[in-house]
Amino acid sequence: VTELEKNVFWDCSELVKIVLPSSIKKIATPLAGDCKKLIEVNIPSNAKISGDGVMFWRCDALHDENGCIINSGRLLTHTEHNGYSRLGSRTIEGITLPEGITEIAGNVFKEVRMDSITLPSTLQSIGEKAFEKCSFLRKLEIPGNVKTIKSGAFGYCSSLETIKIKNGVVNI
């Protein structure tokens, strides 16, 4: 198996663990949703994540205390931060991502109602459409370790006034 289509593990109410083989090269999103007992996921670090959504939907037990689902340094999903549902109407005031994250996968913060975010100094890559339609995001500072900002990362951020990009970014 080299590719997984979207929704492969949808509504698997008894699923506790997903371990994917190193042969997996491409994973379409979302991979899983409504897996309430899912507590562990192992995704090969070389697997390309594609699609138009976040990796996991409503897999609450998988989130850490910051609302993050992190695998091999990749932030795959961020939901329920401080009780916030990405489909809700409340604006989050200041998200701080933990150190150790090296990549923000595509679409992770798409349409999230946040006014600001603090990115970790360990961050190296920001995925395609990672912050698309974050219409309340006003300012952002990109750490110096970031080498790549992919297509549409900040598309349609209508309130974005300032992006400070520190030296180090090689590819936008």
Side-chain angles (χ1 to χ4, degrees):
V1 177
T2 60
E3 293 185 21
L4 293 176
E5 294 295 324
K6 68 181 184 176
N7 300 324
V8 171
F9 302 106
W10 200 267
D11 200 19
C12 297
S13 59
E14 298 300 315
L15 185 64
V16 176
K17 182 177 182 178
I18 299 173
V19 178
L20 300 176
S22 60
S23 62
I24 298 291
K25 302 298 180 216
K26 184 177 177 184
I27 301 170
T29 61
L31 178 65
D34 289 325
C35 299
K36 303 297 183 197
K37 294 182 180 179
L38 185 62
I39 59 171
E40 186 179 343
V41 176
N42 183 349
I43 296 174
S45 59
N46 63 330
K48 182 179 185 254
I49 299 168
S50 67
D52 60 358
V54 297
M55 183 70 80
F56 300 96
W57 279 89
R58 296 182 302 268
C59 297
D60 300 336
L62 211 49
H63 295 123
D64 68 11
E65 67 277 358
N66 297 301
C68 299
I69 297 176
I70 303 167
N71 187 269
S72 299
R74 287 194 281 187
L75 177 62
L76 300 174
T77 304
H78 185 280
T79 55
E80 302 300 320
H81 185 82
N82 293 328
Y84 170 79
S85 167
R86 70 190 312 263
L87 301 175
S89 61
R90 187 171 68 83
T91 302
I92 300 169
E93 295 180 11
I95 293 174
T96 300
L97 295 180
E99 291 295 320
I101 294 174
T102 58
E103 176 186 349
I104 297 175
N107 300 294
V108 169
F109 291 102
K110 185 175 182 176
E111 297 182 41
V112 170
R113 296 172 56 109
M114 68 177 124
D115 68 351
S116 65
I117 187 165
T118 302
L119 302 174
S121 63
T122 53
L123 188 63
Q124 298 173 13
S125 177
I126 299 174
E128 188 173 334
K129 300 179 182 179
F131 294 89
E132 184 181 62
K133 297 182 183 176
C134 288
S135 58
F136 292 84
L137 186 60
R138 292 179 287 115
K139 60 184 177 180
L140 184 66
E141 186 171 308
I142 308 291
N145 282 338
V146 173
K147 302 296 181 221
T148 303
I149 301 172
K150 295 187 178 173
S151 176
F154 302 99
Y156 305 101
C157 291
S158 57
S159 296
L160 195 56
E161 298 170 355
T162 307
I163 295 181
K164 182 178 181 181
I165 301 175
K166 292 189 174 182
N167 290 336
V169 175
V170 175
N171 185 12
I172 299 178

